[in-house]
Amino acid sequence: MIISVASGKGGTGKTTIATNLACSYEGSVQFLDCDVEEPNAHLFIRPDIHDVETIRTPVPEVDMEKCTLCGKCSEICQFNAIAVLGETVLPFPELCHSCGGCMAVCPEKAITETGRELGIIERGSRKGMAFIHGKLRIGEAMAPPLIRKVRENIRPDVLTIIDAPPGTSCPVIASMKGADFVLLVTEPTPFGLYDLKLALGAVKLLGIPCGLVINRSDIGDDHVRAYAEAEKVPVLMEITFARKIAEAYSRGEMPVETDDHWKAMFRELYSRIAAIVQTPIEKTG
Amino acid sequence: MQELVVISGKGGTGKTTLLAAFASLAHNKVLCDADVDAADLHLILDPKIRQRHDFQSGHTAEINPEACTRCGLCRELCRFDAIGENFQVDPISCEGCGVCYYFCPENAIAFPLNTCGEWYVSDTRFGPMAHARLGIAEENSGKLVTLIRQQGKERAQRDGLDLLLTDGPPGVGCPVIASLGGATAVLIVAEPSVSGLHDMERVAQLAAGFNIPAMVCINKFDINPEQGKAIEAYAEKKNIAVMGRIPFDPMFTKAMVMGKTLFEYNGRSEGSDAVRSIWEKVAQRLDDMERKNSQ
Amino acid sequence: MKIAISSRGKDLDSPIDPRFGRAPYLIIVDTDSLEFEAVDNGANMNAFKGAGIQAAAAVSKKGAKALLTGHCGPKAFQALEAAQIKVANDVSGTVRDAVAAYNEGNVSFSDNPNTDAHW
């Protein structure tokens, strides 16, 4: 089973929920941090990293001996990533989306592919939990191809928890697509509610069952609860604000490791999710 | 004209709340919500929309089943697995590269332009505002960010305003990069936690890569003073000006719930005093940069 | 010799547009005869990324050997360099003024882009 933990709004406690959920689970579990722009889960899980892989995406390289300057490559490219300039053809690797169009269209077979570094993937483990995350190279704009590479590590035989990035655009979709369940983490404030609506729209578009965690449930107002009820999204857990928890989080501590009550809470959260996933339901969207 | 972009790396550090508070303090400015993915600034500023435009960007392939002979060339060429066995394009996976459209021997593939959101120029009680709504699951948020900033600048030029206050997106990828090019300075809103430090370092590196002077302030400082000091130490080492500390204050959430800026809700709390002092320092710094620039 | 100038309008008396990639027109002028051609750059004005690259390719295709403009970003500069087109930044006034300045040797060509990358 794949559970993707997402939020719309940043800073609602997505990483806290994802890491505690993974660490409270008793069977085999793997954790994928797909928030490749700002990966944080490793600060809490503290895995031993045993391998690092540099991830590249293919970008064109032109053999000017073969090139006739016909310009077909720049004509097909939707991203202005290759141009005929006087007596030469110049690729702009940072604009390239790696579609391979220029290479396919070149009548002289003058284009081959080299790599642009997207970032790295680190793999590790802790207490039997497999841990994988991606780190986008600073200055690299495109997160989705790196997220897809992180996701290639998913093992179908174990529980997979994915920590998704905030927002609702392409990186989030890349982190939720194909999941069996999306757990949306929100807070009961106007910002939380507005961003939850967007996130729920994305989940519906993908047709994935979902549930809600309301974090800091005693701050703000009641509009998130009312909205969840109207949209028939089950509220699976509520966590009240406690300064102690905020402080523990700031130090990189996971409450499930020291507090049996929290451990029980998160196991209960998992059973609720499992119950929903195992019940056949009509997909929306 | 100057532009201050407020960013954070990590989401939820209080960027938008702080920017809204600055909106009640700053003069002669245009506001810009560049967090188009999850735009929240309008919830506080309640803009009256004066101009509304479609945002069109990128293309998506569409296969006409009547002309398609199911030869399979498009599926073979598509690197994004966007064409299913049934020869239907999954618009979410489609990258808009046009390779299938270009090569289809039957010309059975159309490649229309997408309308993927709306952008607005509005008036608020604190001045004009440029903002947008990106459709769910849409790409090209970077392009929309660029557009919003351009619109904000044009409005400022027209009205003779000299400052653009931009609420930036979280992260370090495409939309953030789009929010930084050509900015005068960035203010990083960090939170004192292990994640806050980690994310602040990454976004600071990004700003440095663009040669944009950076400032930092720390929200909820008293939650973990040790981490807060670690962020300040990092900032000093990297030549990032430290603008101040904001204490944890439930007032921030209360103001947000009421749809008010911090100062409209209560201008005399510990938190609002800290924010006012930070704004004064930031404004001073922007003035200094302007002066240095004109010399 | 042919040179290119980024322009707001279609003729020699139009003001120079300080932007290169996103100028509405690129005027290609023969510096001896003052014969000119206005290249419509409108499609590029709304381009997301790479507007400067496309504009550079257009200038190169028209056989211009120099570009007079206001600002030139790093990608456009790289593209113009590859096409062996010299770049003069910070040129202002009308297109006609710019050609005259060029003919009198009053423009200085730069070795670097003078503006940040625009996304």
Side-chain angles (χ1 to χ4, degrees):
Chain A
M1 176 163 59
I2 303 172
I3 302 172
S4 199
V5 184
S7 73
K9 175 167 158 47
T12 56
K14 187 169 48 62
T15 301
T16 303
I17 302 297
T19 51
N20 281 284
L21 181 61
C23 288
S24 64
Y25 184 70
E26 277 187 315
S28 283
V29 56
Q30 64 169 187
F31 191 98
L32 267 59
D33 192 347
C34 285
D35 187 0
V36 300
E37 294 182 46
E38 296 288 18
N40 287 152
H42 65 286
L43 300 168
F44 299 87
I45 293 176
R46 299 193 181 99
D48 292 321
I49 298 294
H50 25 73
D51 101 66
V52 182
E53 186 188 349
T54 301
I55 304 297
R56 292 185 174 81
T57 190
V59 293
E61 195 168 48
V62 185
D63 179 351
M64 289 314 296
E65 301 267 303
K66 293 184 185 164
C67 175
T68 61
L69 302 170
C70 74
K72 286 208 164 70
C73 53
S74 93
E75 190 187 304
I76 195 173
C77 180
Q78 292 292 316
F79 311 105
N80 290 336
I82 189 162
V84 181
L85 295 154
E87 299 299 304
T88 190
V89 172
L90 193 63
F92 290 84
E94 61 272 47
L95 300 182
C96 176
H97 286 229
S98 308
C99 71
C102 55
M103 194 166 73
V105 78
C106 178
E108 311 300 330
K109 304 266 167 280
I111 300 180
T112 50
E113 287 184 320
T114 169
R116 172 183 90 228
E117 189 184 331
L118 291 171
I120 56 169
I121 285 181
E122 293 181 313
R123 295 182 194 80
S125 62
R126 200 187 95 165
K127 290 186 193 157
M129 178 201 298
F131 177 91
I132 302 113
H133 72 173
K135 265 189 188 169
L136 194 69
R137 176 176 59 81
I138 297 294
E140 169 61 48
M142 296 175 207
L146 182 59
I147 294 172
R148 289 194 283 267
K149 284 284 183 187
V150 173
R151 292 194 48 155
E152 281 174 15
N153 290 278
I154 292 179
R155 281 175 46 198
D157 54 326
V158 300
L159 173 67
T160 303
I161 309 279
I162 294 179
D163 192 359
T168 55
S169 66
C170 32
V172 185
I173 300 296
S175 308
M176 296 199 304
K177 214 172 165 234
D180 298 294
F181 191 85
V182 174
L183 189 60
L184 293 169
V185 184
T186 188
E187 57 178 39
T189 62
F191 290 5
L193 174 62
Y194 185 79
D195 297 350
L196 171 66
K197 288 180 184 171
L198 298 173
L200 192 62
V203 175
K204 283 187 173 169
L205 197 70
L206 294 168
I208 304 171
C210 70
L212 205 58
V213 172
I214 304 181
N215 196 8
R216 304 178 201 116
S217 58
D218 51 343
I219 64 164
D221 54 28
D222 284 329
H223 297 314
V224 163
R225 260 175 229 99
Y227 175 74
E229 204 170 304
E231 290 290 321
K232 299 193 172 56
V233 178
V235 176
L236 302 179
M237 184 159 98
E238 295 196 23
I239 304 171
T240 52
F241 177 79
R243 199 182 163 100
K244 209 177 71 188
I245 295 171
E247 286 170 0
Y249 167 85
S250 78
R251 292 189 296 266
E253 292 166 10
M254 288 184 288
V256 292
E257 290 195 311
T258 49
D259 189 328
D260 285 342
H261 170 66
W262 271 67
K263 204 170 194 170
M265 253 166 58
F266 274 91
R267 286 200 179 147
E268 173 65 22
L269 174 63
Y270 173 75
S271 348
R272 287 183 180 183
I273 294 170
I276 293 172
V277 173
Q278 277 142 25
T279 319
I281 53 154
E282 227 174 278
K283 283 188 178 177
T284 49
Chain B
M1 192 196 320
Q2 291 186 303
E3 182 183 15
L4 176 72
V5 183
V6 181
I7 52 172
S8 65
K10 181 171 160 27
T13 61
K15 191 165 47 60
T16 304
T17 302
L18 206 60
L19 193 109
F22 290 168
S24 31
L25 297 175
H27 305 287
N28 297 328
K29 78 284 177 188
V30 170
L31 299 150
C32 201
D33 191 351
D35 187 0
V36 295
D37 237 47
D40 288 338
L41 190 60
H42 69 280
L43 297 171
I44 303 296
L45 299 187
D46 188 25
K48 304 282 173 277
I49 294 175
R50 302 293 181 215
Q51 282 181 48
R52 181 191 294 267
H53 303 268
D54 278 346
F55 170 61
Q56 292 190 310
S57 175
H59 298 256
T60 302
E62 262 173 34
I63 299 179
N64 172 3
E66 309 209 334
C68 173
T69 59
R70 304 194 161 220
C71 71
L73 183 62
C74 55
R75 295 195 64 212
E76 201 179 294
L77 287 171
C78 177
R79 288 197 174 172
F80 306 98
D81 295 326
I83 302 169
E85 282 171 23
N86 55 359
F87 288 90
Q88 277 184 2
V89 177
D90 169 11
I92 294 176
S93 298
C94 178
E95 185 82 3
C97 69
V99 170
C100 59
Y101 159 73
Y102 191 97
F103 280 97
C104 176
E106 308 299 331
N107 286 326
I109 303 182
F111 196 48
L113 190 62
N114 295 328
T115 298
C116 37
E118 280 186 338
W119 59 270
Y120 321 97
V121 180
S122 303
D123 285 321
T124 75
R125 58 190 186 280
F126 301 112
M129 171 170 169
H131 53 126
R133 189 188 51 76
L134 186 69
I136 289 162
E138 291 292 355
E139 291 181 50
N140 280 324
S141 55
K143 179 175 177 178
L144 187 53
V145 167
T146 302
L147 197 151
I148 288 301
R149 291 176 66 216
Q150 273 169 1
Q151 290 300 325
K153 267 176 214 162
E154 277 175 27
R155 178 65 193 257
Q157 260 157 8
R158 218 185 65 203
D159 292 7
L161 304 173
D162 44 28
L163 177 65
L164 205 60
L165 266 182
T166 300
D167 189 4
V172 294
C174 170
V176 190
I177 291 174
S179 75
L180 292 182
T184 313
V186 298
L187 174 66
I188 303 171
V189 184
E191 69 168 39
S193 64
V194 286
S195 333
L197 174 61
H198 177 267
D199 293 355
M200 179 266 181
E201 288 180 9
R202 284 172 61 82
V203 81
Q205 282 171 36
L206 184 69
F210 274 86
N211 282 319
I212 298 173
M215 304 174 247
V216 67
C217 68
I218 298 160
N219 195 7
K220 304 175 196 161
F221 187 90
D222 49 325
I223 291 286
N224 189 335
E226 213 174 292
Q227 282 294 332
K229 285 175 195 155
I231 292 173
E232 290 176 344
Y234 175 84
E236 267 154 35
K237 206 170 67 192
K238 298 288 173 182
N239 228 346
I240 297 169
V242 178
M243 294 288 114
R245 305 168 174 179
I246 304 167
F248 175 79
D249 189 340
M251 195 82 73
F252 285 83
T253 305
K254 287 181 185 154
M256 188 211 290
V257 168
M258 304 295 288
K260 290 180 172 172
T261 71
L262 194 57
F263 297 104
E264 290 174 308
Y265 185 76
N266 179 347
R268 283 164 196 279
S269 69
E270 215 187 324
S272 49
D273 285 347
V275 172
R276 189 178 294 109
S277 139
I278 288 168
W279 173 250
E280 281 162 8
K281 284 187 197 162
V282 170
Q284 184 61 50
R285 238 182 146 76
L286 288 171
D287 281 349
D288 292 347
M289 283 179 199
E290 178 98 348
R291 212 168 306 126
K292 217 164 131 196
N293 231 342
S294 60
Q295 268 170 14
Chain C
M1 193 181 91
K2 279 186 184 175
I3 63 171
I5 296 145
S6 57
S7 164
R8 295 205 184 151
K10 291 190 221 179
D11 56 41
L12 293 182
D13 295 311
S14 309
I16 287 179
D17 194 311
R19 303 165 302 175
F20 169 50
R22 292 189 163 84
Y25 295 95
L26 299 167
I27 310 281
I28 313 292
V29 189
D30 185 312
T31 51
D32 299 323
S33 65
L34 288 191
E35 271 177 50
F36 69 94
E37 179 190 355
V39 177
D40 189 343
N41 196 41
N44 258 342
M45 267 178 84
N46 300 317
F48 174 26
K49 300 174 189 172
I53 298 167
Q54 286 303 308
V59 167
S60 158
K61 219 171 173 177
K62 293 288 174 189
K65 299 290 177 224
L67 166 74
L68 314 184
T69 187
H71 316 298
C72 181
K75 290 205 188 71
F77 195 87
Q78 194 189 344
L80 291 159
E81 213 171 26
Q84 297 186 309
I85 296 168
K86 291 189 288 181
V87 185
N89 292 317
D90 301 319
V91 179
S92 56
T94 65
V95 174
R96 197 184 294 278
D97 296 341
V99 179
Y102 175 84
N103 279 338
E104 290 157 15
N106 282 339
V107 297
S108 48
F109 291 100
S110 70
D111 301 323
N112 290 300
N114 69 340
T115 183
D116 291 319
H118 254 286
W119 281 68

